[in-house]
mmCIF file of all heavy atoms in Angstrom:
data_model
loop_
_atom_site.group_PDB
_atom_site.id
_atom_site.type_symbol
_atom_site.label_atom_id
_atom_site.label_comp_id
_atom_site.label_asym_id
_atom_site.label_seq_id
_atom_site.Cartn_x
_atom_site.Cartn_y
_atom_site.Cartn_z
ATOM 1 N N GLY A 44 -32.210 183.504 -176.618
ATOM 2 C CA GLY A 44 -31.989 182.389 -177.571
ATOM 3 C C GLY A 44 -33.281 181.598 -177.776
ATOM 4 O O GLY A 44 -34.225 181.722 -176.998
ATOM 5 N N LYS A 45 -33.316 180.809 -178.839
ATOM 6 C CA LYS A 45 -34.506 180.052 -179.179
ATOM 7 C C LYS A 45 -34.780 178.905 -178.233
ATOM 8 O O LYS A 45 -35.829 178.317 -178.245
ATOM 9 C CB LYS A 45 -34.362 179.518 -180.635
ATOM 10 C CG LYS A 45 -34.369 180.587 -181.696
ATOM 11 C CD LYS A 45 -34.332 180.026 -183.107
ATOM 12 C CE LYS A 45 -32.982 179.510 -183.546
ATOM 13 N NZ LYS A 45 -31.909 180.554 -183.651
ATOM 14 N N LEU A 47 -33.599 175.961 -178.439
ATOM 15 C CA LEU A 47 -33.845 174.795 -179.243
ATOM 16 C C LEU A 47 -33.398 173.490 -178.600
ATOM 17 O O LEU A 47 -34.078 172.486 -178.584
ATOM 18 C CB LEU A 47 -33.194 174.978 -180.615
ATOM 19 C CG LEU A 47 -33.270 173.813 -181.580
ATOM 20 C CD1 LEU A 47 -34.684 173.466 -181.870
ATOM 21 C CD2 LEU A 47 -32.534 174.145 -182.869
ATOM 22 N N ARG A 48 -32.144 173.536 -178.078
ATOM 23 C CA ARG A 48 -31.578 172.269 -177.484
ATOM 24 C C ARG A 48 -32.389 171.806 -176.279
ATOM 25 O O ARG A 48 -32.794 170.651 -176.214
ATOM 26 C CB ARG A 48 -30.105 172.474 -177.209
ATOM 27 C CG ARG A 48 -29.316 172.588 -178.485
ATOM 28 C CD ARG A 48 -28.185 173.584 -178.455
ATOM 29 N NE ARG A 48 -27.667 173.905 -179.790
ATOM 30 C CZ ARG A 48 -28.231 174.866 -180.570
ATOM 31 N NH1 ARG A 48 -29.237 175.600 -180.148
ATOM 32 N NH2 ARG A 48 -27.735 175.080 -181.765
ATOM 33 N N GLU A 74 -28.262 174.027 -172.549
ATOM 34 C CA GLU A 74 -28.357 175.452 -172.934
ATOM 35 C C GLU A 74 -27.122 176.219 -172.422
ATOM 36 O O GLU A 74 -26.635 177.134 -173.083
ATOM 37 C CB GLU A 74 -29.665 176.070 -172.419
ATOM 38 C CG GLU A 74 -29.905 177.503 -172.868
ATOM 39 C CD GLU A 74 -30.031 177.672 -174.415
ATOM 40 O OE1 GLU A 74 -30.469 176.693 -175.106
ATOM 41 O OE2 GLU A 74 -29.727 178.758 -174.917
ATOM 42 N N HIS A 77 -24.288 175.392 -174.794
ATOM 43 C CA HIS A 77 -24.529 176.078 -176.072
ATOM 44 C C HIS A 77 -24.155 177.562 -175.928
ATOM 45 O O HIS A 77 -23.474 178.111 -176.787
ATOM 46 C CB HIS A 77 -26.006 175.865 -176.451
ATOM 47 C CG HIS A 77 -26.432 176.708 -177.627
ATOM 48 N ND1 HIS A 77 -25.843 176.652 -178.844
ATOM 49 C CD2 HIS A 77 -27.424 177.638 -177.740
ATOM 50 C CE1 HIS A 77 -26.477 177.529 -179.650
ATOM 51 N NE2 HIS A 77 -27.393 178.111 -179.020
ATOM 52 N N TYR A 79 -22.198 179.008 -173.749
ATOM 53 C CA TYR A 79 -20.717 179.143 -173.626
ATOM 54 C C TYR A 79 -20.095 179.135 -175.036
ATOM 55 O O TYR A 79 -19.218 179.943 -175.334
ATOM 56 C CB TYR A 79 -20.162 178.002 -172.751
ATOM 57 C CG TYR A 79 -19.022 177.199 -173.390
ATOM 58 C CD1 TYR A 79 -17.752 177.714 -173.451
ATOM 59 C CD2 TYR A 79 -19.299 175.933 -173.901
ATOM 60 C CE1 TYR A 79 -16.746 176.969 -174.055
ATOM 61 C CE2 TYR A 79 -18.301 175.191 -174.519
ATOM 62 C CZ TYR A 79 -17.018 175.702 -174.570
ATOM 63 O OH TYR A 79 -16.031 174.982 -175.203
ATOM 64 N N SER A 80 -20.547 178.179 -175.858
ATOM 65 C CA SER A 80 -19.935 178.041 -177.172
ATOM 66 C C SER A 80 -20.136 179.308 -178.004
ATOM 67 O O SER A 80 -19.307 179.713 -178.785
ATOM 68 C CB SER A 80 -20.396 176.781 -177.918
ATOM 69 O OG SER A 80 -21.645 176.965 -178.533
ATOM 70 N N LEU A 81 -21.261 179.940 -177.877
ATOM 71 C CA LEU A 81 -21.587 181.153 -178.629
ATOM 72 C C LEU A 81 -20.687 182.326 -178.112
ATOM 73 O O LEU A 81 -20.144 183.094 -178.922
ATOM 74 C CB LEU A 81 -23.049 181.549 -178.487
ATOM 75 C CG LEU A 81 -24.072 180.514 -179.047
ATOM 76 C CD1 LEU A 81 -25.496 181.046 -178.895
ATOM 77 C CD2 LEU A 81 -23.826 180.200 -180.493
ATOM 78 N N HIS A 83 -17.743 182.107 -176.701
ATOM 79 C CA HIS A 83 -16.381 181.934 -177.193
ATOM 80 C C HIS A 83 -16.264 182.061 -178.698
ATOM 81 O O HIS A 83 -15.282 182.610 -179.225
ATOM 82 C CB HIS A 83 -15.819 180.564 -176.717
ATOM 83 C CG HIS A 83 -15.411 180.563 -175.263
ATOM 84 N ND1 HIS A 83 -14.619 179.631 -174.702
ATOM 85 C CD2 HIS A 83 -15.655 181.465 -174.278
ATOM 86 C CE1 HIS A 83 -14.412 179.889 -173.419
ATOM 87 N NE2 HIS A 83 -15.035 180.992 -173.151
ATOM 88 N N ASP A 84 -17.285 181.630 -179.415
ATOM 89 C CA ASP A 84 -17.291 181.729 -180.878
ATOM 90 C C ASP A 84 -17.225 183.207 -181.305
ATOM 91 O O ASP A 84 -16.629 183.485 -182.357
ATOM 92 C CB ASP A 84 -18.592 181.083 -181.437
ATOM 93 C CG ASP A 84 -18.556 180.925 -182.947
ATOM 94 O OD1 ASP A 84 -17.548 180.407 -183.443
ATOM 95 O OD2 ASP A 84 -19.511 181.357 -183.561
ATOM 96 N N MET A 89 -11.739 184.414 -182.344
ATOM 97 C CA MET A 89 -12.557 183.415 -183.097
ATOM 98 C C MET A 89 -13.268 184.148 -184.209
ATOM 99 O O MET A 89 -12.628 184.660 -185.095
ATOM 100 C CB MET A 89 -13.556 182.690 -182.156
ATOM 101 C CG MET A 89 -12.843 181.906 -181.094
ATOM 102 S SD MET A 89 -12.797 180.184 -181.465
ATOM 103 C CE MET A 89 -12.014 179.552 -180.022
ATOM 104 N N ARG A 95 -25.090 189.414 -181.061
ATOM 105 C CA ARG A 95 -25.541 188.010 -180.844
ATOM 106 C C ARG A 95 -26.847 188.039 -180.071
ATOM 107 O O ARG A 95 -26.977 188.754 -179.116
ATOM 108 C CB ARG A 95 -24.501 187.246 -180.086
ATOM 109 C CG ARG A 95 -24.878 185.879 -179.587
ATOM 110 C CD ARG A 95 -24.984 184.814 -180.648
ATOM 111 N NE ARG A 95 -23.675 184.464 -181.172
ATOM 112 C CZ ARG A 95 -23.540 183.491 -182.149
ATOM 113 N NH1 ARG A 95 -24.628 182.874 -182.623
ATOM 114 N NH2 ARG A 95 -22.371 183.212 -182.612
ATOM 115 N N ARG A 96 -27.782 187.241 -180.440
ATOM 116 C CA ARG A 96 -29.088 187.167 -179.804
ATOM 117 C C ARG A 96 -29.710 188.538 -179.635
ATOM 118 O O ARG A 96 -30.293 188.888 -178.575
ATOM 119 C CB ARG A 96 -28.930 186.464 -178.411
ATOM 120 C CG ARG A 96 -28.669 184.976 -178.550
ATOM 121 C CD ARG A 96 -28.509 184.235 -177.250
ATOM 122 N NE ARG A 96 -28.634 182.798 -177.432
ATOM 123 C CZ ARG A 96 -28.466 181.873 -176.507
ATOM 124 N NH1 ARG A 96 -28.101 182.260 -175.282
ATOM 125 N NH2 ARG A 96 -28.640 180.606 -176.735
ATOM 126 N N LEU A 152 -17.878 168.923 -180.412
ATOM 127 C CA LEU A 152 -18.165 170.402 -180.573
ATOM 128 C C LEU A 152 -16.855 171.168 -180.888
ATOM 129 O O LEU A 152 -16.813 171.961 -181.851
ATOM 130 C CB LEU A 152 -18.763 170.924 -179.257
ATOM 131 C CG LEU A 152 -19.115 172.409 -179.222
ATOM 132 C CD1 LEU A 152 -20.198 172.770 -180.267
ATOM 133 C CD2 LEU A 152 -19.575 172.838 -177.857
ATOM 134 N N ILE A 153 -15.808 170.901 -180.089
ATOM 135 C CA ILE A 153 -14.581 171.657 -180.354
ATOM 136 C C ILE A 153 -13.858 171.212 -181.592
ATOM 137 O O ILE A 153 -13.304 172.054 -182.323
ATOM 138 C CB ILE A 153 -13.661 171.607 -179.072
ATOM 139 C CG1 ILE A 153 -14.344 172.373 -177.922
ATOM 140 C CG2 ILE A 153 -12.271 172.175 -179.370
ATOM 141 C CD1 ILE A 153 -13.707 172.294 -176.587
ATOM 142 N N GLN A 156 -15.363 173.145 -184.283
ATOM 143 C CA GLN A 156 -14.917 174.528 -184.328
ATOM 144 C C GLN A 156 -13.486 174.638 -184.878
ATOM 145 O O GLN A 156 -13.127 175.620 -185.604
ATOM 146 C CB GLN A 156 -15.018 175.112 -182.882
ATOM 147 C CG GLN A 156 -14.595 176.558 -182.739
ATOM 148 C CD GLN A 156 -15.700 177.494 -183.249
ATOM 149 O OE1 GLN A 156 -16.656 177.089 -183.871
ATOM 150 N NE2 GLN A 156 -15.462 178.769 -183.054
ATOM 151 N N LYS A 179 -19.745 170.455 -185.121
ATOM 152 C CA LYS A 179 -20.027 171.798 -184.564
ATOM 153 C C LYS A 179 -21.489 171.933 -184.141
ATOM 154 O O LYS A 179 -21.801 172.625 -183.190
ATOM 155 C CB LYS A 179 -19.685 172.857 -185.623
ATOM 156 C CG LYS A 179 -19.728 174.271 -185.145
ATOM 157 C CD LYS A 179 -19.307 175.270 -186.211
ATOM 158 C CE LYS A 179 -20.421 175.581 -187.136
ATOM 159 N NZ LYS A 179 -20.177 176.759 -187.989
ATOM 160 N N THR A 180 -22.375 171.294 -184.849
ATOM 161 C CA THR A 180 -23.800 171.548 -184.662
ATOM 162 C C THR A 180 -24.590 170.255 -184.303
ATOM 163 O O THR A 180 -25.293 170.225 -183.299
ATOM 164 C CB THR A 180 -24.430 172.173 -185.918
ATOM 165 O OG1 THR A 180 -23.619 173.276 -186.307
ATOM 166 C CG2 THR A 180 -25.863 172.640 -185.669
ATOM 167 N N PHE A 216 -30.364 171.583 -189.706
ATOM 168 C CA PHE A 216 -30.390 172.880 -189.000
ATOM 169 C C PHE A 216 -29.193 173.709 -189.433
ATOM 170 O O PHE A 216 -29.333 174.934 -189.672
ATOM 171 C CB PHE A 216 -30.329 172.632 -187.476
ATOM 172 C CG PHE A 216 -30.336 173.888 -186.645
ATOM 173 C CD1 PHE A 216 -31.572 174.530 -186.442
ATOM 174 C CD2 PHE A 216 -29.158 174.394 -186.098
ATOM 175 C CE1 PHE A 216 -31.561 175.701 -185.663
ATOM 176 C CE2 PHE A 216 -29.198 175.571 -185.361
ATOM 177 C CZ PHE A 216 -30.382 176.232 -185.123
ATOM 178 N N GLN A 217 -27.988 173.112 -189.573
ATOM 179 C CA GLN A 217 -26.831 173.936 -189.927
ATOM 180 C C GLN A 217 -26.855 174.315 -191.372
ATOM 181 O O GLN A 217 -26.425 175.429 -191.728
ATOM 182 C CB GLN A 217 -25.535 173.156 -189.580
ATOM 183 C CG GLN A 217 -24.282 173.968 -189.819
ATOM 184 C CD GLN A 217 -24.228 175.250 -188.971
ATOM 185 O OE1 GLN A 217 -24.299 175.199 -187.765
ATOM 186 N NE2 GLN A 217 -24.114 176.430 -189.604
ATOM 187 N N ASP A 220 -29.051 177.230 -191.405
ATOM 188 C CA ASP A 220 -28.275 178.324 -190.744
ATOM 189 C C ASP A 220 -27.360 178.987 -191.774
ATOM 190 O O ASP A 220 -27.270 180.229 -191.830
ATOM 191 C CB ASP A 220 -27.507 177.800 -189.518
ATOM 192 C CG ASP A 220 -27.163 178.874 -188.556
ATOM 193 O OD1 ASP A 220 -28.066 179.314 -187.822
ATOM 194 O OD2 ASP A 220 -25.990 179.325 -188.553
ATOM 195 N N LYS A 234 -28.109 188.242 -185.119
ATOM 196 C CA LYS A 234 -26.636 188.039 -185.145
ATOM 197 C C LYS A 234 -26.179 188.589 -186.511
ATOM 198 O O LYS A 234 -27.005 188.739 -187.429
ATOM 199 C CB LYS A 234 -26.241 186.588 -184.929
ATOM 200 C CG LYS A 234 -26.770 185.628 -185.961
ATOM 201 C CD LYS A 234 -26.320 184.166 -185.652
ATOM 202 C CE LYS A 234 -26.861 183.216 -186.672
ATOM 203 N NZ LYS A 234 -26.490 181.843 -186.410
ATOM 204 N N ARG A 291 -37.919 177.902 -190.914
ATOM 205 C CA ARG A 291 -37.660 179.082 -190.105
ATOM 206 C C ARG A 291 -37.000 180.186 -190.904
ATOM 207 O O ARG A 291 -36.314 179.927 -191.917
ATOM 208 C CB ARG A 291 -36.796 178.704 -188.895
ATOM 209 C CG ARG A 291 -35.343 178.442 -189.204
ATOM 210 C CD ARG A 291 -34.629 177.742 -188.069
ATOM 211 N NE ARG A 291 -33.356 177.230 -188.510
ATOM 212 C CZ ARG A 291 -32.173 177.768 -188.223
ATOM 213 N NH1 ARG A 291 -32.117 178.825 -187.471
ATOM 214 N NH2 ARG A 291 -31.075 177.229 -188.626
HETATM 215 C C1 GRG B 1 -13.507 176.178 -176.604
HETATM 216 C C2 GRG B 1 -12.472 178.445 -177.251
HETATM 217 C C3 GRG B 1 -13.577 177.441 -177.375
HETATM 218 C C4 GRG B 1 -14.597 177.678 -178.168
HETATM 219 C C5 GRG B 1 -15.731 176.789 -178.372
HETATM 220 C C6 GRG B 1 -17.331 175.113 -180.059
HETATM 221 C C7 GRG B 1 -17.411 176.569 -180.186
HETATM 222 C C8 GRG B 1 -16.440 177.461 -179.452
HETATM 223 C C9 GRG B 1 -18.204 177.218 -180.941
HETATM 224 C C10 GRG B 1 -19.234 176.539 -181.836
HETATM 225 C C11 GRG B 1 -20.488 177.377 -181.704
HETATM 226 C C12 GRG B 1 -21.248 177.511 -182.954
HETATM 227 C C13 GRG B 1 -21.344 178.811 -183.630
HETATM 228 C C14 GRG B 1 -21.965 176.424 -183.446
HETATM 229 C C15 GRG B 1 -22.816 176.486 -184.612
HETATM 230 C C16 GRG B 1 -24.200 176.056 -184.246
HETATM 231 C C17 GRG B 1 -25.227 177.142 -184.394
HETATM 232 C C18 GRG B 1 -25.898 177.311 -185.651
HETATM 233 C C19 GRG B 1 -25.471 177.904 -183.346
HETATM 234 C C20 GRG B 1 -26.623 178.900 -183.307
HETATM 235 O O1 GRG B 1 -27.677 178.165 -182.647
HETATM 236 P P1 GRG B 1 -29.121 178.794 -182.467
HETATM 237 O O2 GRG B 1 -29.649 179.290 -183.761
HETATM 238 O O3 GRG B 1 -28.859 180.015 -181.459
HETATM 239 O O4 GRG B 1 -29.982 177.748 -181.796
HETATM 240 P P2 GRG B 1 -29.759 180.668 -180.364
HETATM 241 O O5 GRG B 1 -29.114 181.970 -180.073
HETATM 242 O O6 GRG B 1 -31.165 180.735 -180.816
HETATM 243 O O7 GRG B 1 -29.630 179.754 -179.144
#
Side-chain angles (χ1 to χ4, degrees):
K45 293 185 282 297
L47 175 60
R48 292 141 194 88
E74 186 62 27
H77 170 59
Y79 126 77
S80 80
L81 299 181
H83 281 197
D84 190 52
M89 298 258 182
R95 169 74 70 179
R96 291 181 161 172
L152 180 65
I153 292 174
Q156 183 74 353
K179 188 177 83 166
T180 310
F216 181 79
Q217 185 60 58
D220 202 75
K234 61 181 180 181
R291 75 195 166 104

